Amino acid sequence: QVQLVESGGGLVEAGGSLRLSCVASGTIISIHSMGWYRQAPGKQRELVARGTNAGETNYADSVKGRFTITRDNGKNTVYLQMNSLSPVDTAVYYCQANISPVVGAWNNYWGQGTQVTVSS
């Protein structure tokens, strides 16, 4: 069983910073990619940032230059450093990973989500 556990959300004033963390645990053969999505009230879940084990990263246009995704492959952990936060960044942030739990199989897993609230 694979689990993703997020931490680091909270309340911050506009212009502030937060750092989210997500640790993958359980039976893991390999991790192809780890990333972050977010969902604001009344909106669809959207990709924020994603990184592959080949070192490729991609970001939503709205966060480029403000957010940075990094991975610690040895710890099966992904981080999202969020700077210059604004109220429009308020959402539940979800960790997502593409993981092989057994040889030959790949599944997408999701964390439970962590709330990020940015006050104006």
Side-chain angles (χ1 to χ4, degrees):
Q1 189 78 354
V2 174
Q3 283 189 319
L4 302 181
V5 178
E6 303 115 330
S7 61
L11 174 64
V12 64
E13 291 184 349
S17 299
L18 282 174
R19 187 192 194 209
L20 305 182
S21 301
C22 172
V23 181
S25 63
T27 304
I28 298 173
I29 304 298
S30 181
I31 300 177
H32 172 254
S33 65
M34 297 186 79
W36 294 92
Y37 289 70
R38 68 185 180 186
Q39 188 167 19
K43 294 189 176 182
Q44 289 188 332
R45 191 173 297 189
E46 62 175 358
L47 173 69
V48 176
R50 177 177 173 269
T52 71
N53 59 3
E56 300 166 333
T57 57
N58 58 293
Y59 294 89
D61 287 342
S62 60
V63 307
K64 284 180 181 178
R66 300 188 299 123
F67 291 11
T68 302
I69 187 170
T70 55
R71 286 179 61 179
D72 184 334
N73 292 329
K75 296 181 178 180
N76 290 340
T77 300
V78 63
Y79 305 96
L80 185 68
Q81 178 66 43
M82 305 185 294
N83 299 327
S84 302
L85 285 161
S86 73
V88 297
D89 296 314
T90 295
V92 178
Y93 284 70
Y94 296 91
C95 178
Q96 187 267 346
N98 185 243
I99 293 173
S100 175
V102 295
V103 175
W106 291 91
N107 298 324
N108 288 322
Y109 296 88
W110 293 88
Q112 80 285 355
T114 186
Q115 177 70 46
V116 171
T117 302
V118 185
S119 63
S120 57

